[in-house]
Structure formats: C-alpha cells, structure tokens
Amino acid sequence: MAETIIFSNGRFFNDTITPSTSDSVMAVKDGKIVFIGTSTSSTWKTFLATESSSIKSQDLKGQYVLPGFIDGHMHFLMLGQSLHKVDLTGCENLAEIRSRISKYAAENPGVKRVLCMGWMHSMTDGEAKAGMLDDLGSRPIYIDSKDLHSVWCNSAALEEMGIHDMEVPAGGIIERDASGRASGLLSEACVLLIVWPYLAKVLPMEEKMAALRAAIKAYHQAGCTGFIDMAMDENAWEAILALREAEGGKLSIRIAAHWCILPGSGESDRLLQVDRAIELQQQFNSTTSPDLRILGIKVICDGVVDACTAALAKPYTSNPSASTDPIWTAEMLSPVVKKASEANLQCALHAIGDAAVHNAINALEEHGKPNQRHRIEHLELTSPADAARLGTLNITASIQPVHSDPAILRAWPKLLGPERLKRAFAYKEFADHGAVLAIGSDSPTAPHAPLQNLYVAMTRKSARQPEKSDNPVNEEFRLGVGQAISAATKGAAFSCFDEGRVGTLDVGMEADFVIVDWSGEAGELLGARVRATWFKGEKVYEL
C-alpha cells in the first residue's frame, strides 16, 4: 500500500513568501502532491477522513518549502567534468594560476592531462600564451575560460590536437605568433569544433558517466530537480543515454536539452544539423520520454564581453579595433530559425551583445509561430526597444543573474563605458514588459547553486566576494523575492513546456520540492541552506 507523507508547519511557496506556518500542510502520495493548504480547512478534514493509506508525518519547523529548482541554462557533462578540474576562480594573477596548477600536478602524477577551469582574461591582462605554462610540466594543460568561450593551452596540448597546421573553422579564433604558429589561445567555434571533440574522443565513457553522476549529486545538494542543457551534442548525449541505461532506465533528475548548431561549412551543413535535432526530438519528447527530452536547437550568435567577442551596436570603448560582428550573421541565422520553427522546434539563441540580441529578436519575429516559446539566452546588454520586444513577441528571457555579480564585471566599465553599462542585465525591465523570465546558472561557467544565484538576482550584489562590498550593478533592475524564485521554478518549467508537471506546489503536480532553512529575506540568502531535496516524492538529498 502506498504511503502518504504529510509535511506540516512549513512555509510553502506559491508565487509569494508566506509568513504562516503552524496550520500549513502538504501531503504527498505516489510521487505527487495530493493536498496543499491549511490543517483547519474542511477540505483537509475531508482528505484525512478518506485517506486509506498509511501516513507518515514530518514537522518542518517553520522552514521554507520551494518547488524544486530547475536550472534554466546549464551544461550537464561539462559541469560534471568541472567538479574534478583545477579551479582557478579567484586567482588574481598569473603567479596564482601557476601555483594552483603546480600544486595539482604534483598531487596527481598519474593523470594524463591537467584540466583547469575558471580563468578570466583579466587575471592575465588578456594574455594567454603557451609559454606561460610550458615549464609547469610535460603533460598537456587545458584551461577553460570562465565563460567557456576560450581555452588556453600549453604547447603539449596544442601539439596533441595538431593545432598548428589546422585551418581556422568558421566562427573560430586561433591566436598565432609572428611565425604563424598557434600561440596558446583558442576561442569561440574552435572550442566547440576542436577542443571539446578532441577531449571527448580521448576521455573514456566510464569517466564521462562518473562526471554525470557527480553533476546530479551536486544538483541534488543545491536543491535542483531538473535542468535544461544548452549545448547538447553527440558526445554528451551518448554519455547520458549510457548512464540512463546503467541506472535501470531512469535518472533522478529531469533533463531537457537544446541541440547545439554550429556555424559549419555553409548553409547546407547547418540545416543538416537541424535535421539531426528534428530526428532526436521525434524520438525523445514529452510523450515518449518526459524526463529526458530534446526541445529544440541552440545557436551561439555571438561571444562574450570580456573577450571583446560579443556583438555590439557600437565599438568597444577601450578596444575600438575589436570586431563587433556576430558569430552568426542575420543571413546565417534566418534559414536555421526558419527550418527549426517549421518543424516546431524551440529555438534558444545565445545573444549577449545588443547587436546580437537585435538580430536574434528579428529572426524569431520573422519565423517564429505562436506558442513555440522561443527564447534568448543571456541578454546581457539590450536596448530599451529590444527589451520591450521580448514581451510583445512572447520570447522567454533566459537569464543568469550570477553573471551580473559585481566581482566578475570589473573590466566592464572600461570595455563598455559608463552609459552602456547602465543597460546591463535589465532583468526587471524584461519582466515589466511582459516577458517570462527563466533563471539559470550557465554552469560550469558560473556556480550552479540556485540560492546564491537568486541572491544576485534580488540584490544585484556579489555572492562571490560579498566581503568587498561592491556597489550593486544597476540596482533598479533587481527582481523581487517572489519574482526571482518563480523565475527559477515556474518560469524555468514554462520555458521547457513542463509547467503542467513541475515548477509549482499544487495538487496534481509532481512532488519535486526543496526544503530550505532561510529567513525569507533577500539579503539573508547567502546564509540559507538546503536541508532536503525531494524528487518524485522521494528524498534524494538531506543535509
């Protein structure tokens, strides 16, 4: 006989933070929420009178119960792999980077490659040469930039990939020295087309599956019960399917994904990639595979501000010679969005700079159809007019507040100038114009924990370095407490067509929820703790 679990004396979130606890109650049975309300109501008394299964009770002692967080934008396999990489986050200069790598190399003499993450261009004054790393050992060294748009390599890594004699792929950058040899930094399409495929080939399946398991565990600890992978490819998909088979045909987290479309060799190549996404979506969808789905396509329209590769309407203030062109021109983007929309695939367009955002909105306006819920990822710099168009066109604003942390924006005033900086991360403006917000982390480019992400969304202050007391970034664009939590739960669920199952605490919904020890105040989120995570009515994590 199925057991009914009753959770009482909690603060149950449903768009607002409620102060009431003593008479609040939620009942869970067969993996679903079967009651939520007050213990003094007639409906609760009727529920108890008719409930025939055994009952187990849990006193929440005033803790908050939120819907399970759904990371609206992340990279599954890369997150799992990053948990075992040398983390360079917080390094101030080259000496600190070298010190951390040297320490890891000495402690791990058996690893074939030294894989690192978290480097920012500002840590080394924009320099990323192989010679800055070569004396640290003979093993290949790969350093992912924090935004995952560049990889800094030592000479051994360049040699084993055969970079020196390679042609630069469309949309890619290989930095070279005066003699024409690769000097150490690979960016944009080179990461997608050269580095990641090479490492995918040389890393064993067992290691990839272990990485995926580590990512799921990390998400459970952080209160996440689902996520949307935003750059799915054959390598990661193969590993996920292998893990699901090894786990008996089911995973303890809900996965939706967008297939990454690369610039390729031309339009026909790009459209063939869309064909592959169509094929997979027909196999893995909400009917055939509701907890492991392909939603549509992902296109990386431009780069990032810090590397001066984001597409801007006007030149970079401190680097006017840097190209402001997008990776995907409007002419490249249009046929891909058209074909995907005609196949009823959801388009997710990475657009950070204001020029890329403008192109992305234009493409979705031209080719999108009603109720397809197309989305734009990041939206870090937008014009007022384009911010308003998101809501008008029913485009989901997929945002990552953790990227607006003041601690990682120290180069932005110089790169963009004070006036453009005022338009950065205009989240509240998107919502005010009617756009649905879906909050994600973009992990592992940023920390995956939702509570810290929500802290930045609500305060625009730093979760990374709160002790430095940086001024909030464009405080007028901060989100309210209920607004931010909804964007990380209901909004993220809506963005992947799953709002009928998850994202809210309502009768009939899947029992995906998280118990949080928190005061309910935005400023106290950094001290909040996830006490337990429940997935389909089963506890998958407890502190």
Side-chain angles (χ1 to χ4, degrees):
M1 182 180 294
E3 182 180 64
T4 299
I5 308 174
I6 296 173
F7 298 86
S8 60
N9 190 25
R11 293 180 168 92
F12 298 95
F13 177 82
N14 203 342
D15 290 336
T16 60
I17 292 293
T18 172
S20 175
T21 61
S22 60
D23 65 346
S24 297
V25 63
M26 181 176 75
V28 171
K29 181 181 179 180
D30 293 329
K32 294 184 181 295
I33 298 171
V34 293
F35 181 90
I36 187 163
T38 63
S39 59
T40 57
S41 67
S42 59
T43 51
W44 174 243
K45 294 173 183 176
T46 300
F47 174 83
L48 285 180
T50 57
E51 185 57 39
S52 58
S53 63
S54 61
I55 292 177
K56 180 180 178 180
S57 298
Q58 181 173 339
D59 184 349
L60 296 171
K61 300 178 182 178
Q63 296 175 120
Y64 278 95
V65 180
L66 312 178
F69 293 116
I70 302 165
D71 192 331
H73 180 128
M74 59 81 69
H75 306 282
F76 187 20
L77 180 57
M78 287 184 285
L79 170 61
Q81 292 174 327
S82 76
L83 298 173
H84 304 290
K85 291 183 179 181
V86 183
D87 189 358
L88 303 179
T89 300
C91 286
E92 297 285 344
N93 49 49
L94 177 61
E96 287 188 35
I97 290 171
R98 288 170 52 84
S99 176
R100 289 193 196 182
I101 294 174
S102 295
K103 182 175 184 294
Y104 174 87
E107 293 172 351
N108 297 272
V111 300
K112 293 182 178 180
R113 295 169 185 83
V114 179
L115 306 180
C116 311
M117 60 169 286
W119 165 69
M120 296 182 68
H121 293 74
S122 59
M123 294 176 182
T124 54
D125 296 323
E127 290 291 304
K129 306 299 185 187
M132 297 156 70
L133 306 170
D134 284 343
D135 64 330
L136 299 180
S138 59
R139 287 175 286 182
I141 299 174
Y142 294 82
I143 304 178
D144 296 335
S145 64
K146 186 175 288 294
D147 52 44
L148 295 183
H149 282 250
S150 301
V151 180
W152 174 14
C153 305
N154 71 346
S155 294
L158 296 174
E159 290 289 347
E160 75 168 356
M161 288 189 291
I163 296 296
H164 296 297
D165 298 323
M166 282 188 183
E167 291 187 8
V168 182
I173 302 169
I174 300 176
E175 289 198 359
R176 299 186 184 275
D177 61 21
S179 65
R181 290 178 61 80
S183 60
L185 188 65
L186 310 177
S187 299
E188 302 305 341
C190 291
V191 178
L192 297 170
L193 296 174
I194 299 173
V195 182
W196 291 352
Y198 178 80
L199 291 177
K201 180 178 68 176
V202 298
L203 296 175
M205 179 59 73
E206 292 75 14
E207 187 173 323
K208 297 173 194 174
M209 291 169 63
L212 296 177
R213 288 190 177 98
I216 293 173
K217 180 180 179 181
Y219 265 139
H220 287 165
Q221 292 172 342
C224 280
T225 54
F227 59 77
I228 304 171
D229 187 295
M230 268 298 161
M232 188 57 66
D233 60 13
E234 300 288 356
N235 169 50
W237 190 247
E238 179 187 21
I240 294 168
L241 293 180
L243 178 64
R244 186 173 72 162
E245 182 177 359
E247 297 293 329
K250 59 182 180 180
L251 299 172
S252 58
I253 201 161
R254 303 182 197 279
I255 303 172
H258 283 260
W259 199 256
C260 191
I261 309 299
L262 303 175
S265 59
E267 182 176 321
S268 60
D269 185 12
R270 294 188 283 271
L271 295 180
L272 281 174
Q273 295 177 63
V274 179
D275 284 335
R276 176 60 172 154
I278 294 170
E279 176 189 7
L280 287 168
Q281 196 276 335
Q282 291 172 345
Q283 296 177 53
F284 300 92
N285 53 60
S286 58
T287 300
T288 62
S289 180
D291 291 331
L292 180 58
R293 301 175 289 145
I294 297 293
L295 296 168
I297 63 167
K298 160 76 176 297
V299 178
I300 303 175
C301 298
D302 70 339
V304 294
V305 171
D306 288 276
C308 294
T309 53
L312 302 182
K314 296 180 180 179
Y316 286 88
T317 302
S318 61
N319 189 6
S321 63
S323 172
T324 56
D325 295 334
I327 296 171
W328 284 68
T329 65
E331 293 72 26
M332 293 167 63
L333 188 60
S334 181
V336 167
V337 171
K338 181 177 186 291
K339 181 165 188 172
S341 296
E342 288 175 346
N344 206 31
L345 294 187
Q346 185 186 29
C347 297
L349 307 182
H350 163 123
I352 283 180
D354 52 358
V357 171
H358 187 72
N359 286 348
I361 294 176
N362 286 349
L364 297 178
E365 181 178 34
E366 181 179 2
H367 301 298
K369 294 176 172 54
N371 303 315
Q372 289 186 324
R373 300 186 191 177
H374 297 305
R375 44 193 290 160
I376 297 180
E377 312 302 308
H378 308 307
L379 294 157
E380 295 186 3
L381 192 66
T382 54
S383 69
D386 282 337
R389 293 172 72 198
L390 297 171
T392 302
L393 297 171
N394 297 314
I395 297 171
T396 297
S398 174
I399 57 174
Q400 300 75 44
V402 68
H403 285 330
S404 67
D405 191 307
I408 60 171
L409 300 178
R410 305 200 192 285
W412 277 48
K414 180 176 67 173
L415 291 169
L416 297 178
E419 287 306 308
R420 274 190 295 190
L421 193 62
K422 293 177 182 178
R423 292 295 312 163
F425 309 100
Y427 301 155
K428 185 177 185 298
E429 187 174 294
F430 305 156
D432 288 346
H433 285 296
V436 171
L437 303 183
I439 283 182
S441 70
D442 200 14
S443 66
T445 74
H448 63 274
L451 295 180
Q452 289 85 339
N453 200 355
L454 291 173
Y455 172 83
V456 181
M458 297 176 195
T459 67
R460 306 294 286 233
K461 297 180 181 179
S462 179
R464 294 172 182 264
Q465 298 176 344
E467 73 283 354
K468 293 199 173 182
S469 301
D470 288 297
N471 290 327
V473 175
N474 298 339
E475 193 172 12
E476 67 275 15
F477 293 141
R478 70 183 185 276
L479 302 178
V481 174
Q483 190 177 31
I485 294 174
S486 290
T489 53
K490 182 168 67 173
F494 179 88
S495 78
C496 64
F497 299 89
D498 219 10
E499 75 278 11
R501 298 196 306 152
V502 294
T504 56
L505 302 177
D506 292 311
V507 172
M509 302 292 278
E510 299 279 351
D512 294 6
F513 58 93
V514 56
I515 299 171
V516 182
D517 189 1
W518 174 43
S519 70
E521 297 293 327
E524 302 298 322
L525 269 170
L526 293 186
R529 294 291 179 269
V530 171
R531 290 294 176 183
T533 304
W534 290 70
F535 174 75
K536 294 187 177 182
E538 298 287 337
K539 189 189 300 179
V540 292
Y541 168 74
E542 185 171 36
L543 183 63

